[in-house]
């Protein structure tokens, strides 16, 4: 069941990025970055076993935010991609503030939700702080490396459109490695044993390898839609 749900989540996340881009243009990509970052920071609290590996959830949604910034890097340039990253960071910061405030309210005697909200979000500040730091570093690194690789491939091939698959996967896989190591150490050090933490980190990166390879067709599709004038800003 977990494996099926992860596959459905992958299709929904990557398809969602493409749909938001088709409907709302570059603004849709920025909205997706903010939305996926908030949802991933909630989902990452859950630990599951899937495909024989123990892993936290949130990997697919985080991967989709990298795909959204790659859309912006490829089609609108570094400035727009960096802007979307900072929008995601701002959205996470606001979520951190509000989720903390929720746990401070004194519930009514008839309340049935406060206990569960406190159980979920009492650990959220540390997770969100680790997530924000690792996300900011990894996403900004991803955008920077994407354009550095683009300059190299353009110089070697003389064509701005070639080697899209290379710059997408090389930048994303490098940035995802930085992201997952920084996040897991910051969020879960002392929560899980070191062997469990190493296992979670390795499993998450394996997931990122597959998601990074699978997101490439969506990036080609976005470029094709943009070239055909299907996108209304």
């Amino acid at each position: 069941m977990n494996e099926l749900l992860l596959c459905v989540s992958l299709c929904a996340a990557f398809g969602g990025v493409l749909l938001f881009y088709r409907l709302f243009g570059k603004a849709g990509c920025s909205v997706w970055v903010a939305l996926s970052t908030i949802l991933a920071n909630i989902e990452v609290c859950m630990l599951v076993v899937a495909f024989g590996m123990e892993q936290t959830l949130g990997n697919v949604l985080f991967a989709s935010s990298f795909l959204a910034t790659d859309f912006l890097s490829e089609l609108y340039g570094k400035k727009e991609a960096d802007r979307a990253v900072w929008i995601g960071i701002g959205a996470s910061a606001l979520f951190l503030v509000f989720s903390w405030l929720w746990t401070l309210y004194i519930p009514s005697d008839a309340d049935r939700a406060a206990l569960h909200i406190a159980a979920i979000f009492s650990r959220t500040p540390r997770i969100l702080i680790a997530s924000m730091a690792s996300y900011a570093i990894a996403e900004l690194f991803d955008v920077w490396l994407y354009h550095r690789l683009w300059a190299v491939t353009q110089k070697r091939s003389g064509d701005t459109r070639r080697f899209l698959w290379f710059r997408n996967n090389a930048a994303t896989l490098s940035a995802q490695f930085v992201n997952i190591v920084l996040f897991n150490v910051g969020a879960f050090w002392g929560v899980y044993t070191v062997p469990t933490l190493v296992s979670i980190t390795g499993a998450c990166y394996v997931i990122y390898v597959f998601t990074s390879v699978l997101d490439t067709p969506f990036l080609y599709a976005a470029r094709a839609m943009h070239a055909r004038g299907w996108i209304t800003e």
Side-chain angles (χ1 to χ4, degrees), residues 149-164 167:
L149 293 172
W150 198 348
V152 171
T153 56
Q154 181 180 349
K155 183 177 180 180
R156 292 181 65 89
S157 67
D159 187 349
T160 60
R161 293 177 61 83
R162 293 189 64 189
F163 296 105
L164 170 59
R167 57 181 174 267

Side-chain angles (χ1 to χ4, degrees), residues 61-139:
L61 285 167
F62 276 125
S64 71
S65 73
F66 279 81
L67 177 61
T69 54
D70 284 350
F71 278 20
L72 294 170
S73 286
E74 181 68 23
L75 302 171
Y76 301 98
K78 184 175 183 296
K79 183 178 179 180
E80 288 295 338
D82 283 339
R83 181 171 176 268
V85 173
W86 287 109
I87 288 173
I89 294 169
S92 292
L94 284 174
F95 178 65
L96 172 62
V97 170
F98 280 101
S99 63
W100 171 68
L101 289 173
W102 296 337
T103 64
L104 300 181
Y105 281 97
I106 299 173
S108 152
D109 291 338
D111 176 80
R112 296 184 178 181
L115 183 63
H116 305 289
I117 288 175
I120 294 172
F121 293 111
S122 60
R123 288 173 54 195
T124 298
R126 177 182 173 180
I127 291 174
L128 269 180
I129 291 169
S131 176
M132 286 173 59
S134 60
Y135 173 81
I137 294 169
E139 278 277 29

Side-chain angles (χ1 to χ4, degrees), residues 2 27 79 90 100 166 175 187 190 208 233:
N2 286 348
K79 183 178 179 180
W100 171 68
F166 172 73
Y208 280 141
E233 300 295 350

Side-chain angles (χ1 to χ4, degrees), residues 20-38:
F20 268 52
Y21 178 59
R22 175 66 180 86
L23 295 176
F24 310 114
K26 63 183 179 183
C29 292
S30 296
V31 170
W32 186 272
V33 169
L35 177 64
S36 62
T37 303
I38 291 172

